């Protein structure tokens, strides 16, 4: 990777070399008796060794700013392609990530949709012979102006719980 590129461009360059797929996702809900649906097309990529820390989330100080200052500032920034949110993880343990991001010029209900699933093995947290895994998720969405934000947030949270329960049942 060309280190003279911006952090975002380095992430984009690396992402384009990763395995992945393009998926069309459609969700629906009934609100006040009206059926409503939202769609987006996502680029999904697998990061077997976790995503590189281009945004310097793990650095206590970066460009003269503490981590807490950078977190406060990040809440006001506009969503940017390839500047993914970071789910929680213990930095001392390895991670595997799956990123998803709406395609450029997506004709769906989101100006931007991007997120990361993070998997992290938890040694010593299961019975002998078993294994345990932490699964965390972070998502950022920017819906089009006509889309009610509260509905989108609520639906994402509801579907996330349903998906996680299905994963647990599959592997139980």
């Amino acid at each position: 990777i060309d280190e003279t590129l911006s952090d975002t461009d380095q992430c984009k360059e690396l992402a384009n070399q990763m395995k992945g797929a393009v998926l069309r996702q459609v969700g629906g809900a009934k609100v006040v008796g009206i059926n409503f649906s939202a769609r987006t097309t996502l680029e999904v990529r697998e990061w077997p060794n976790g995503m590189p820390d281009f945004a310097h989330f793990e650095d206590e100080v970066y460009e003269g700013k503490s981590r807490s200052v950078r977190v406060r500032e990040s809440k006001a920034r506009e969503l940017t392609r390839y500047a993914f949110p970071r789910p929680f993880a213990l930095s001392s343990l390895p991670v595997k990530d799956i990123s998803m991001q709406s395609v450029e010029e997506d004709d769906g209900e989101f100006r931007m949709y991007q997120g990361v699933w993070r998997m992290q093995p938890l040694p010593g947290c299961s019975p002998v012979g078993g294994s345990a895994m932490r699964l965390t998720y972070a998502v950022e969405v920017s819906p089009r102006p006509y889309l009610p934000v509260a509905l989108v947030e609520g639906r994402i949270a509801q579907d996330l719980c349903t998906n996680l329960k299905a994963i647990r049942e599959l592997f139980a």
Side-chain angles (χ1 to χ4, degrees):
I1 301 296
D2 182 354
E3 293 185 12
T4 63
L5 295 173
S6 70
D7 294 341
T8 302
D9 287 338
Q10 286 182 53
C11 187
K12 180 179 182 177
E13 185 176 309
L14 187 56
N16 288 332
Q17 298 171 18
M18 305 299 292
K19 290 191 295 185
V22 176
L23 303 174
R24 181 81 165 162
Q25 184 173 352
V26 179
K30 193 169 193 171
V31 180
V32 194
I34 300 170
N35 287 327
F36 172 81
S37 69
R39 68 190 184 286
T40 188
T41 302
L42 299 171
E43 297 171 354
V44 181
R45 290 199 168 76
E46 177 184 1
W47 303 79
N49 299 313
M51 297 180 77
D53 188 23
F54 290 118
H56 304 276
F57 288 103
E58 295 176 14
D59 296 342
E60 187 57 44
V61 176
Y62 177 70
E63 293 184 341
K65 296 179 183 178
S66 71
R67 183 181 297 137
S68 59
V69 167
R70 294 190 327 266
V71 167
R72 279 194 303 276
E73 289 176 351
S74 73
K75 292 179 181 179
R77 74 169 172 77
E78 272 193 46
L79 296 186
T80 305
R81 290 182 63 73
Y82 298 100
F84 290 94
R86 290 300 164 120
F88 173 79
L90 297 174
S91 61
S92 61
L93 296 172
V95 297
K96 294 180 180 185
D97 293 329
I98 298 173
S99 66
M100 67 203 99
Q101 160 172 254
S102 52
V103 298
E104 291 189 65
E105 312 291 326
D106 186 18
D107 64 351
E109 277 67 38
F110 300 99
R111 288 185 292 245
M112 174 67 88
Y113 183 110
Q114 62 186 11
V116 177
W117 286 94
R118 174 158 288 165
M119 296 152 285
Q120 187 171 43
L122 298 173
C125 293
S126 65
V128 176
S131 62
M133 177 82 62
R134 172 183 286 124
L135 177 63
T136 53
Y137 177 69
V139 66
E140 298 175 321
V141 296
S142 176
R144 302 226 185 257
Y146 58 82
L147 196 64
V149 174
L151 172 65
V152 171
E153 290 174 341
R155 189 60 195 208
I156 289 172
Q158 179 184 355
D159 288 347
L160 179 59
C161 291
T162 301
N163 292 342
L164 290 175
K165 286 177 185 173
I167 291 168
R168 181 176 55 204
E169 289 173 11
L170 179 66
F171 292 100

